[in-house]
Amino acid sequence: DIGGGSTEFIIGMGMQTLERESLQAGCIASTRRFFPGGKLSKKRWKDALAEIGREFQPFASKYRALGWQEALGSSGTHKAISEICATMKLSKGAITAEALPQLRDELLKAKKIDDIQLPGLSSDRRPIIAGGILVLEAAFQALGLQKLLVSKAAMREGILYDIVGRAGENDLRDESVAALSQRYGIDTVQADRVQETALSLLEQVQERWRLDADDARMLGWAARLHELGLMIAHSGYHVHGSYVLEHSDIAGFSRQEQQMLAALVRSHRRSVTKTAFDALPERLLLTARRLAALLRLAVLLNRAHEDDPLPALELTADDNRLSLIVPQAFIDARPLLRADLIGETDGIAGLGIQFRPFVA
Protein backbone atom coordinates (compact mmCIF):
# COMPACT_ATOMS: atom_id res chain seq x y z
CA ASP A 1 0.00 0.00 0.00
CA ILE A 2 1.79 3.13 -1.25
CA GLY A 3 0.58 6.14 0.71
CA GLY A 4 1.67 9.74 0.66
CA GLY A 5 4.38 9.47 3.29
CA SER A 6 5.00 5.75 3.71
CA THR A 7 4.49 2.36 2.12
CA GLU A 8 3.11 -0.63 4.02
CA PHE A 9 4.00 -4.26 3.30
CA ILE A 10 1.99 -7.15 4.74
CA ILE A 11 2.22 -10.89 4.22
CA GLY A 12 -0.86 -12.74 5.42
CA MET A 13 -2.87 -15.92 5.12
CA GLY A 14 -6.64 -15.73 5.49
CA MET A 15 -7.29 -13.37 8.39
CA GLN A 16 -3.85 -13.88 9.94
CA THR A 17 -1.03 -11.36 9.53
CA LEU A 18 2.35 -13.09 9.22
CA GLU A 19 4.64 -10.12 8.63
CA ARG A 20 4.18 -6.34 8.67
CA GLU A 21 6.64 -3.62 7.73
CA SER A 22 6.42 0.10 7.07
CA LEU A 23 8.85 1.92 4.78
CA GLN A 24 9.12 5.67 5.23
CA ALA A 25 8.83 6.37 1.52
CA GLY A 26 5.54 7.30 -0.12
CA CYS A 27 4.52 8.89 -3.40
CA ILE A 28 4.40 12.49 -2.11
CA ALA A 29 7.40 12.29 0.22
CA SER A 30 9.60 10.56 -2.39
CA THR A 31 8.66 13.02 -5.14
CA ARG A 32 9.66 15.93 -2.92
CA ARG A 33 12.75 14.20 -1.57
CA PHE A 34 14.32 12.98 -4.79
CA PHE A 35 13.04 15.45 -7.36
CA PRO A 36 13.34 18.89 -5.72
CA GLY A 37 12.13 21.69 -7.90
CA GLY A 38 10.22 19.15 -9.96
CA LYS A 39 13.31 18.29 -12.03
CA LEU A 40 13.60 14.80 -13.52
CA SER A 41 16.65 12.99 -14.86
CA LYS A 42 17.95 9.46 -15.30
CA LYS A 43 20.76 10.14 -12.83
CA ARG A 44 18.38 11.41 -10.16
CA TRP A 45 16.20 8.37 -10.72
CA LYS A 46 19.12 5.93 -10.45
CA ASP A 47 20.40 7.54 -7.24
CA ALA A 48 16.91 7.59 -5.74
CA LEU A 49 16.32 3.94 -6.63
CA ALA A 50 19.55 2.95 -4.88
CA GLU A 51 18.67 5.03 -1.81
CA ILE A 52 15.22 3.51 -1.40
CA GLY A 53 16.63 0.06 -2.14
CA ARG A 54 18.89 0.39 0.90
CA GLU A 55 15.85 1.05 3.08
CA PHE A 56 14.47 -2.38 2.10
CA GLN A 57 17.54 -4.20 3.42
CA PRO A 58 16.32 -4.74 7.02
CA PHE A 59 13.36 -6.87 5.90
CA ALA A 60 13.60 -7.79 2.20
CA SER A 61 15.46 -11.07 2.73
CA LYS A 62 13.02 -12.16 5.44
CA TYR A 63 10.07 -11.43 3.17
CA ARG A 64 11.57 -13.28 0.23
CA ALA A 65 12.39 -16.29 2.40
CA LEU A 66 8.80 -16.48 3.67
CA GLY A 67 7.38 -16.00 0.17
CA TRP A 68 3.82 -15.59 -1.09
CA GLN A 69 1.45 -16.95 -3.73
CA GLU A 70 -0.16 -13.70 -4.82
CA ALA A 71 0.90 -10.06 -4.63
CA LEU A 72 -1.70 -7.28 -4.37
CA GLY A 73 -1.33 -3.53 -4.54
CA SER A 74 -3.80 -1.30 -2.71
CA SER A 75 -4.08 2.49 -3.05
CA GLY A 76 -4.73 5.22 -5.59
CA THR A 77 -1.10 5.05 -6.70
CA HIS A 78 -1.41 1.42 -7.76
CA LYS A 79 -4.69 2.10 -9.52
CA ALA A 80 -3.10 4.99 -11.44
CA ILE A 81 -0.08 2.92 -12.48
CA SER A 82 -2.35 0.04 -13.46
CA GLU A 83 -4.40 2.38 -15.67
CA ILE A 84 -1.24 3.67 -17.35
CA CYS A 85 -0.01 0.11 -18.01
CA ALA A 86 -3.34 -0.82 -19.56
CA THR A 87 -3.53 2.33 -21.70
CA MET A 88 0.03 1.79 -22.95
CA LYS A 89 -0.97 -1.85 -23.68
CA LEU A 90 1.85 -3.10 -21.44
CA SER A 91 -0.60 -5.34 -19.58
CA LYS A 92 -4.30 -5.85 -19.06
CA GLY A 93 -4.19 -3.93 -15.78
CA ALA A 94 -1.68 -5.89 -13.74
CA ILE A 95 1.67 -4.26 -12.95
CA THR A 96 4.55 -6.43 -14.13
CA ALA A 97 8.33 -6.47 -13.88
CA GLU A 98 8.49 -6.05 -17.68
CA ALA A 99 6.08 -3.11 -17.79
CA LEU A 100 7.61 -0.95 -15.04
CA PRO A 101 10.92 -0.11 -16.79
CA GLN A 102 9.02 0.88 -19.96
CA LEU A 103 6.68 3.04 -17.95
CA ARG A 104 9.63 4.67 -16.13
CA ASP A 105 11.45 5.38 -19.41
CA GLU A 106 8.31 6.99 -20.79
CA LEU A 107 8.02 9.14 -17.68
CA LEU A 108 11.67 10.27 -17.89
CA LYS A 109 11.13 11.67 -21.38
CA ALA A 110 9.83 14.67 -19.46
CA LYS A 111 12.46 16.87 -17.81
CA LYS A 112 10.02 18.31 -15.30
CA ILE A 113 7.19 16.80 -13.32
CA ASP A 114 4.74 19.33 -14.75
CA ASP A 115 5.58 18.07 -18.24
CA ILE A 116 4.86 14.38 -17.58
CA GLN A 117 2.56 12.98 -20.25
CA LEU A 118 1.74 9.37 -19.51
CA PRO A 119 -1.24 7.78 -21.28
CA GLY A 120 -4.10 7.27 -18.85
CA LEU A 121 -2.60 9.52 -16.15
CA SER A 122 -5.07 11.95 -14.57
CA SER A 123 -4.03 15.55 -13.93
CA ASP A 124 -4.48 15.23 -10.16
CA ARG A 125 -2.00 12.31 -10.03
CA ARG A 126 0.65 13.97 -12.22
CA PRO A 127 2.40 15.90 -9.38
CA ILE A 128 3.08 12.73 -7.33
CA ILE A 129 3.25 9.89 -9.85
CA ALA A 130 7.05 9.99 -10.14
CA GLY A 131 7.49 9.16 -6.45
CA GLY A 132 4.88 6.40 -6.67
CA ILE A 133 6.52 4.69 -9.66
CA LEU A 134 9.93 5.08 -8.01
CA VAL A 135 8.85 3.35 -4.81
CA LEU A 136 7.10 0.59 -6.74
CA GLU A 137 10.13 -0.09 -8.94
CA ALA A 138 12.31 -0.28 -5.82
CA ALA A 139 9.84 -2.74 -4.27
CA PHE A 140 9.84 -4.92 -7.38
CA GLN A 141 13.64 -5.06 -7.33
CA ALA A 142 14.09 -5.60 -3.58
CA LEU A 143 11.36 -8.21 -3.18
CA GLY A 144 11.78 -9.95 -6.53
CA LEU A 145 8.20 -9.21 -7.59
CA GLN A 146 7.15 -10.33 -11.05
CA LYS A 147 3.48 -9.39 -11.08
CA LEU A 148 1.27 -7.22 -8.92
CA LEU A 149 -2.51 -7.35 -9.13
CA VAL A 150 -4.38 -4.22 -8.13
CA SER A 151 -7.02 -4.32 -5.42
CA LYS A 152 -10.20 -2.36 -5.99
CA ALA A 153 -10.51 -1.90 -2.24
CA ALA A 154 -8.32 0.30 -0.05
CA MET A 155 -8.37 1.98 3.36
CA ARG A 156 -12.01 3.04 3.22
CA GLU A 157 -13.19 -0.53 2.70
CA GLY A 158 -10.74 -1.71 5.36
CA ILE A 159 -12.27 0.64 7.91
CA LEU A 160 -15.76 -0.57 7.01
CA TYR A 161 -14.62 -4.18 7.30
CA ASP A 162 -13.15 -3.41 10.73
CA ILE A 163 -16.44 -1.83 11.87
CA VAL A 164 -18.46 -4.82 10.65
CA GLY A 165 -16.00 -7.20 12.32
CA ARG A 166 -16.35 -5.42 15.65
CA ALA A 167 -20.10 -5.99 15.53
CA GLY A 168 -19.67 -9.69 14.74
CA GLU A 169 -17.23 -12.48 15.47
CA ASN A 170 -14.27 -11.21 13.42
CA ASP A 171 -12.95 -8.40 15.63
CA LEU A 172 -9.36 -7.78 14.53
CA ARG A 173 -8.55 -6.57 18.04
CA ASP A 174 -9.11 -10.08 19.42
CA GLU A 175 -6.58 -11.44 16.95
CA SER A 176 -4.09 -8.73 17.90
CA VAL A 177 -4.45 -9.53 21.60
CA ALA A 178 -3.90 -13.23 20.87
CA ALA A 179 -0.81 -12.40 18.80
CA LEU A 180 0.62 -10.24 21.60
CA SER A 181 -0.02 -13.04 24.09
CA GLN A 182 1.96 -15.46 21.95
CA ARG A 183 4.75 -13.01 21.13
CA TYR A 184 5.37 -12.11 24.79
CA GLY A 185 4.90 -15.61 26.18
CA ILE A 186 1.96 -14.70 28.41
CA ASP A 187 0.61 -17.43 30.70
CA THR A 188 -2.75 -17.84 28.96
CA VAL A 189 -4.18 -20.04 31.71
CA GLN A 190 -3.60 -17.32 34.28
CA ALA A 191 -4.87 -14.71 31.83
CA ASP A 192 -8.07 -16.74 31.48
CA ARG A 193 -8.51 -16.82 35.26
CA VAL A 194 -8.05 -13.08 35.63
CA GLN A 195 -10.30 -12.31 32.67
CA GLU A 196 -13.09 -14.54 33.97
CA THR A 197 -12.91 -12.97 37.43
CA ALA A 198 -12.72 -9.42 36.09
CA LEU A 199 -15.77 -9.86 33.86
CA SER A 200 -17.69 -11.55 36.67
CA LEU A 201 -17.00 -8.58 38.95
CA LEU A 202 -17.94 -6.13 36.20
CA GLU A 203 -21.25 -7.89 35.64
CA GLN A 204 -22.20 -7.23 39.26
CA VAL A 205 -21.54 -3.48 39.13
CA GLN A 206 -22.07 -2.58 35.48
CA GLU A 207 -25.52 -1.09 35.98
CA ARG A 208 -24.53 1.00 38.98
CA TRP A 209 -21.29 2.16 37.39
CA ARG A 210 -22.83 2.53 33.92
CA LEU A 211 -20.38 0.19 32.19
CA ASP A 212 -21.28 -1.25 28.79
CA ALA A 213 -20.20 -4.04 26.43
CA ASP A 214 -17.30 -1.99 25.04
CA ASP A 215 -16.01 -1.47 28.57
CA ALA A 216 -16.26 -5.21 29.20
CA ARG A 217 -14.19 -5.92 26.07
CA MET A 218 -11.53 -3.43 27.13
CA LEU A 219 -11.37 -4.93 30.61
CA GLY A 220 -11.09 -8.42 29.13
CA TRP A 221 -8.20 -7.41 26.86
CA ALA A 222 -6.41 -5.72 29.76
CA ALA A 223 -6.83 -8.88 31.83
CA ARG A 224 -5.38 -11.00 29.03
CA LEU A 225 -2.38 -8.69 28.62
CA HIS A 226 -1.69 -7.55 32.18
CA GLU A 227 1.42 -9.78 32.47
CA LEU A 228 2.87 -8.80 29.10
CA GLY A 229 5.77 -6.94 30.72
CA LEU A 230 7.08 -10.07 32.47
CA MET A 231 8.93 -10.95 29.26
CA ILE A 232 10.99 -7.78 29.75
CA ALA A 233 11.58 -7.85 33.52
CA HIS A 234 9.75 -9.03 36.63
CA SER A 235 10.51 -5.83 38.46
CA GLY A 236 8.05 -3.15 37.41
CA TYR A 237 6.53 -5.43 34.78
CA HIS A 238 3.29 -3.43 34.80
CA VAL A 239 5.25 -0.34 33.70
CA HIS A 240 7.02 -2.25 30.92
CA GLY A 241 3.77 -3.77 29.68
CA SER A 242 2.05 -0.40 29.66
CA TYR A 243 4.86 1.14 27.59
CA VAL A 244 4.72 -1.64 25.00
CA LEU A 245 0.96 -1.36 24.65
CA GLU A 246 0.99 2.41 24.27
CA HIS A 247 3.82 2.62 21.75
CA SER A 248 3.33 -0.50 19.59
CA ASP A 249 1.41 -0.66 16.32
CA ILE A 250 -1.51 -2.92 17.33
CA ALA A 251 -3.81 -3.77 14.45
CA GLY A 252 -7.47 -2.88 14.97
CA PHE A 253 -6.93 -0.62 17.97
CA SER A 254 -7.29 3.13 17.73
CA ARG A 255 -4.69 5.34 19.37
CA GLN A 256 -7.12 6.15 22.18
CA GLU A 257 -7.96 2.48 22.76
CA GLN A 258 -4.27 1.66 23.09
CA GLN A 259 -3.86 4.48 25.61
CA MET A 260 -6.79 3.11 27.62
CA LEU A 261 -5.33 -0.41 27.51
CA ALA A 262 -1.92 0.90 28.57
CA ALA A 263 -3.42 2.87 31.47
CA LEU A 264 -5.27 -0.19 32.79
CA VAL A 265 -2.17 -2.39 32.62
CA ARG A 266 -0.07 0.34 34.26
CA SER A 267 -2.55 0.64 37.14
CA HIS A 268 -3.30 -3.02 37.84
CA ARG A 269 -0.77 -3.28 40.68
CA ARG A 270 1.29 -1.23 43.10
CA SER A 271 0.51 2.44 43.66
CA VAL A 272 -1.39 4.37 41.00
CA THR A 273 0.71 7.26 39.71
CA LYS A 274 -0.80 10.70 39.25
CA THR A 275 0.05 10.58 35.53
CA ALA A 276 -1.33 7.08 34.84
CA PHE A 277 -4.42 8.40 33.03
CA ASP A 278 -3.03 11.65 31.62
CA ALA A 279 -3.22 10.43 28.01
CA LEU A 280 -6.99 9.88 28.24
CA PRO A 281 -9.62 12.55 27.60
CA GLU A 282 -11.71 13.79 30.51
CA ARG A 283 -14.81 11.90 29.37
CA LEU A 284 -13.06 8.52 29.75
CA LEU A 285 -11.36 9.08 33.12
CA LEU A 286 -14.16 7.85 35.35
CA THR A 287 -14.67 4.67 33.31
CA ALA A 288 -10.92 4.03 33.14
CA ARG A 289 -10.54 4.33 36.92
CA ARG A 290 -13.47 2.00 37.56
CA LEU A 291 -12.14 -0.61 35.12
CA ALA A 292 -8.70 -0.35 36.75
CA ALA A 293 -10.23 -1.05 40.15
CA LEU A 294 -11.96 -4.19 38.82
CA LEU A 295 -8.75 -5.37 37.17
CA ARG A 296 -6.75 -4.85 40.37
CA LEU A 297 -9.20 -7.01 42.32
CA ALA A 298 -9.24 -9.73 39.65
CA VAL A 299 -5.44 -9.91 39.60
CA LEU A 300 -5.22 -9.92 43.40
CA LEU A 301 -7.83 -12.65 43.81
CA ASN A 302 -5.92 -14.89 41.37
CA ARG A 303 -2.42 -14.06 42.57
CA ALA A 304 -1.86 -17.61 43.86
CA HIS A 305 -2.44 -19.08 40.36
CA GLU A 306 -4.75 -21.73 41.83
CA ASP A 307 -6.54 -24.11 39.47
CA ASP A 308 -9.61 -24.36 41.71
CA PRO A 309 -12.29 -21.84 40.74
CA LEU A 310 -12.99 -18.93 43.06
CA PRO A 311 -16.05 -19.14 45.30
CA ALA A 312 -19.04 -16.90 44.76
CA LEU A 313 -18.02 -13.30 45.43
CA GLU A 314 -20.38 -10.42 46.06
CA LEU A 315 -19.32 -7.02 44.77
CA THR A 316 -21.38 -3.88 45.23
CA ALA A 317 -20.66 -0.36 44.07
CA ASP A 318 -21.77 3.19 44.63
CA ASP A 319 -20.49 6.33 42.91
CA ASN A 320 -16.99 6.18 44.39
CA ARG A 321 -17.29 3.19 46.73
CA LEU A 322 -16.66 -0.49 46.18
CA SER A 323 -17.40 -3.31 48.63
CA LEU A 324 -16.39 -6.97 48.27
CA ILE A 325 -17.81 -9.82 50.34
CA VAL A 326 -15.69 -12.99 50.44
CA PRO A 327 -16.79 -16.33 52.00
CA GLN A 328 -15.36 -16.88 55.50
CA ALA A 329 -13.95 -20.37 54.88
CA PHE A 330 -12.19 -19.28 51.68
CA ILE A 331 -10.45 -16.28 53.23
CA ASP A 332 -9.55 -18.11 56.48
CA ALA A 333 -7.57 -20.64 54.43
CA ARG A 334 -5.66 -17.82 52.71
CA PRO A 335 -4.17 -15.41 55.24
CA LEU A 336 -1.95 -13.80 52.60
CA LEU A 337 -4.98 -12.99 50.46
CA ARG A 338 -6.72 -11.52 53.50
CA ALA A 339 -3.75 -9.23 54.08
CA ASP A 340 -3.63 -8.28 50.40
CA LEU A 341 -7.33 -7.38 50.35
CA ILE A 342 -6.97 -5.21 53.42
CA GLY A 343 -3.90 -3.54 51.92
CA GLU A 344 -5.73 -2.96 48.66
CA THR A 345 -7.84 -0.27 50.29
CA ASP A 346 -4.84 2.03 49.85
CA GLY A 347 -4.14 0.86 46.30
CA ILE A 348 -7.66 1.45 45.01
CA ALA A 349 -7.81 4.75 46.90
CA GLY A 350 -5.29 5.99 44.35
CA LEU A 351 -8.08 5.63 41.77
CA GLY A 352 -10.37 7.88 43.78
CA ILE A 353 -12.45 4.90 44.96
CA GLN A 354 -13.07 3.78 48.54
CA PHE A 355 -12.68 0.01 48.80
CA ARG A 356 -13.91 -2.12 51.71
CA PRO A 357 -13.41 -5.92 51.89
CA PHE A 358 -15.81 -7.89 54.10
CA VAL A 359 -16.15 -11.51 55.14
CA ALA A 360 -19.50 -13.27 54.90
Side-chain angles (χ1 to χ4, degrees):
D1 182 355
I2 300 177
S6 65
T7 300
E8 318 307 322
F9 300 88
I10 302 175
I11 299 180
M13 180 180 294
M15 293 298 298
Q16 183 182 6
T17 298
L18 304 179
E19 292 289 346
R20 289 186 299 165
E21 290 291 344
S22 180
L23 188 74
Q24 296 305 300
C27 58
I28 298 175
S30 296
T31 299
R32 293 174 177 174
R33 176 183 174 187
F34 297 111
F35 308 114
K39 296 180 180 179
L40 297 167
S41 70
K42 291 183 179 180
K43 183 180 185 307
R44 284 191 174 189
W45 193 277
K46 181 180 179 181
D47 292 343
L49 201 60
E51 180 67 23
I52 295 179
R54 282 191 286 271
E55 297 182 21
F56 276 89
Q57 288 180 351
F59 69 91
S61 59
K62 177 174 63 176
Y63 264 53
R64 294 178 74 157
L66 180 59
W68 51 85
Q69 282 72 51
E70 186 176 45
L72 296 169
S74 169
S75 72
T77 295
H78 285 110
K79 290 179 182 178
I81 296 174
S82 169
E83 182 65 26
I84 296 168
C85 287
T87 305
M88 292 178 64
K89 300 190 184 316
L90 300 176
S91 72
K92 293 184 179 181
I95 303 171
T96 66
E98 294 77 18
L100 265 182
Q102 298 179 60
L103 193 154
R104 173 243 299 152
D105 291 342
E106 186 67 24
L107 180 145
L108 290 177
K109 289 180 179 178
K111 301 305 177 185
K112 294 183 178 180
I113 288 177
D114 290 341
D115 298 332
I116 294 175
Q117 297 293 331
L118 289 173
L121 177 64
S122 63
S123 58
D124 61 322
R125 280 281 163 185
R126 182 179 295 111
I128 58 175
I129 194 63
I133 295 173
L134 175 66
V135 171
L136 190 56
E137 185 175 8
F140 263 71
Q141 291 184 2
L143 300 175
L145 292 170
Q146 294 301 312
K147 183 179 181 180
L148 190 74
L149 301 178
V150 178
S151 170
K152 294 180 180 180
M155 182 184 294
R156 187 168 14 188
E157 289 79 8
I159 293 173
L160 290 172
Y161 186 86
D162 183 41
I163 293 172
V164 172
R166 291 185 180 203
E169 299 179 355
N170 294 316
D171 194 331
L172 181 58
R173 294 172 296 179
D174 290 327
E175 296 180 23
S176 294
V177 170
L180 285 169
S181 297
Q182 183 177 11
R183 182 182 307 167
Y184 288 93
I186 293 175
D187 181 347
T188 56
V189 176
Q190 175 67 0
D192 286 341
R193 296 189 193 103
V194 174
Q195 182 183 30
E196 182 179 356
T197 303
L199 295 181
S200 175
L201 295 176
L202 179 142
E203 186 176 357
Q204 297 183 58
V205 300
Q206 63 181 2
E207 183 175 351
R208 188 66 180 173
W209 269 3
R210 297 183 294 279
L211 301 174
D212 58 25
D214 288 335
D215 300 322
R217 279 193 287 269
M218 183 60 67
L219 179 60
W221 292 324
R224 299 207 64 77
L225 298 175
H226 76 280
E227 289 188 335
L228 182 148
L230 285 173
M231 175 66 77
I232 300 171
H234 280 68
S235 177
Y237 76 84
H238 57 303
V239 179
H240 305 314
S242 175
Y243 183 88
V244 170
L245 292 172
E246 182 174 0
H247 297 284
S248 297
D249 291 327
I250 308 178
F253 282 86
S254 68
R255 178 66 179 151
Q256 189 168 276
E257 287 172 335
Q258 285 190 220
Q259 290 170 336
M260 171 70 89
L261 198 56
L264 295 180
V265 170
R266 174 65 180 82
S267 306
H268 87 266
R269 67 191 291 264
R270 302 290 176 86
S271 60
V272 179
T273 63
K274 294 181 179 180
T275 60
F277 301 93
D278 281 359
L280 299 178
E282 182 73 25
R283 62 184 176 81
L284 294 180
L285 288 180
L286 183 60
T287 296
R289 292 179 184 277
R290 288 173 171 176
L291 293 180
L294 297 176
L295 181 60
R296 289 179 72 94
L297 289 178
V299 171
L300 189 152
L301 289 165
N302 290 279
R303 186 169 292 171
H305 290 231
E306 295 180 7
D307 291 330
D308 295 334
L310 293 172
L313 305 171
E314 183 180 339
L315 188 69
T316 58
D318 205 341
D319 288 343
N320 65 339
R321 289 188 292 272
L322 197 60
S323 300
L324 178 68
I325 298 179
V326 184
Q328 180 79 51
F330 176 77
I331 202 68
D332 284 348
R334 296 164 178 80
L336 291 179
L337 177 58
R338 176 193 292 272
D340 285 341
L341 283 172
I342 294 172
E344 188 58 19
T345 58
D346 292 331
I348 291 183
L351 297 168
I353 298 172
Q354 297 175 0
F355 172 62
R356 298 181 65 185
F358 294 95
V359 174

